Amino acid sequence: MAYQFQFGSVFAGFDQLLWGAWLTVLLSAAGIVLGLMLGILGGWGRAQGPRWLAWAIAAYVEAIRNTPFLVQLFLIFFGLPSLGIRMSAGAAALLTLTINTGAYCTEIVRAGIEAVPRGQVEAGRALGLTRVQVFRFLILFPALRTVYPALASQFTLMMLATSVVSQISAEELTFAANFMQSRTFRSFEIYAVVMVMYLALALAFRGFFRGVHWLVFERGR
């Protein structure tokens, strides 16, 4: 094989990849927080909301889960300007990630809410708790504890999916890699390093979520 591996040019611009990885973490964190909030609202609406709201949320979930993330991204970034709604690549990326993650979280949270025993809810009402208190302490917390592993896996997958937003030039790790490749033409070396970086990020996310699970759901039990 005549190909000569040259990782020197990659590590010479490694600071660009590190900055891209940091932007990936920031984008993922924002998408996780907003997507989870949307998922909690959607899960409540599907499980306990009025029928018309449950149907509307179900339509949203099916539309998102059965269409490609890339098409959703293009619709928001390239399609909305046709309606007079323009936003930066970063804002479009975050909005798409939030909508996409929210749909998956909605179904996960809904399953957790429906797994809460009815007797537990009725007992809370008998004790005089308000509907908000019942939902917060007797429904939402146990539901999130039940489905937390599924949520953590979904959030890690969402972090990996941020690589797609490089298609609209949103700055993150894959965008930084593409930028370096266009100048060094060391495709194998650059993407091999980036693959290792994504693996490290995924493992770090898993460790972080494991720590959150212990702090929130296990400590003090």
Side-chain angles (χ1 to χ4, degrees):
M1 184 175 64
Y3 187 82
Q4 297 295 319
F5 295 102
Q6 297 181 15
F7 285 92
S9 58
V10 179
F11 293 112
F14 194 63
D15 57 331
Q16 298 180 44
L17 295 180
L18 288 177
W19 179 245
W22 173 242
L23 294 177
T24 293
V25 171
L26 292 180
L27 182 61
S28 300
I32 287 170
V33 172
L34 296 176
L36 179 59
M37 292 173 59
L38 184 58
I40 290 173
L41 293 175
W44 170 84
R46 286 213 64 184
Q48 299 186 335
R51 182 172 299 180
W52 66 267
L53 180 60
W55 285 351
I57 295 173
Y60 151 67
V61 169
E62 291 302 313
I64 296 300
R65 293 176 65 190
N66 293 287
T67 55
F69 176 71
L70 182 61
V71 174
Q72 299 164 19
L73 181 66
F74 282 176
L75 176 64
I76 289 177
F77 186 66
F78 296 115
L80 289 184
S82 300
L83 304 178
I85 304 174
R86 300 182 182 277
M87 61 186 70
S88 66
L94 179 57
L95 178 60
T96 310
L97 285 169
T98 299
I99 293 173
N100 185 275
T101 304
Y104 286 91
C105 288
T106 291
E107 283 301 280
I108 295 173
V109 173
R110 178 191 62 81
I113 291 175
E114 292 179 349
V116 175
R118 295 290 301 176
Q120 182 171 303
V121 177
E122 293 171 359
R125 291 173 179 169
L127 291 173
L129 298 180
T130 65
R131 293 187 62 181
V132 174
Q133 290 173 324
V134 168
F135 180 75
R136 178 182 176 184
F137 298 110
L138 301 182
I139 297 178
L140 181 59
F141 188 82
L144 291 179
R145 182 170 55 196
T146 300
V147 301
Y148 185 84
L151 285 173
S153 295
Q154 184 60 45
F155 294 151
T156 301
L157 289 174
M158 187 271 281
M159 182 276 294
L160 297 175
T162 59
S163 61
V164 177
V165 305
S166 63
Q167 296 298 310
I168 60 170
S169 298
E171 296 185 11
E172 43 73 60
L173 180 53
T174 301
F175 176 84
N178 293 339
F179 182 83
M180 287 183 61
Q181 190 277 334
S182 68
R183 281 155 177 75
T184 64
F185 302 101
R186 310 306 301 183
S187 301
F188 180 88
E189 293 89 334
I190 290 173
Y191 292 116
V193 171
V194 168
M195 185 177 70
V196 173
M197 294 179 71
Y198 272 115
L199 175 60
L201 285 174
L203 294 176
F205 268 59
R206 285 175 53 185
F208 172 78
F209 291 131
R210 192 176 295 117
V212 170
H213 181 269
W214 181 81
L215 286 173
V216 177
F217 299 113
E218 297 297 333
R219 189 179 65 172
R221 287 188 64 182

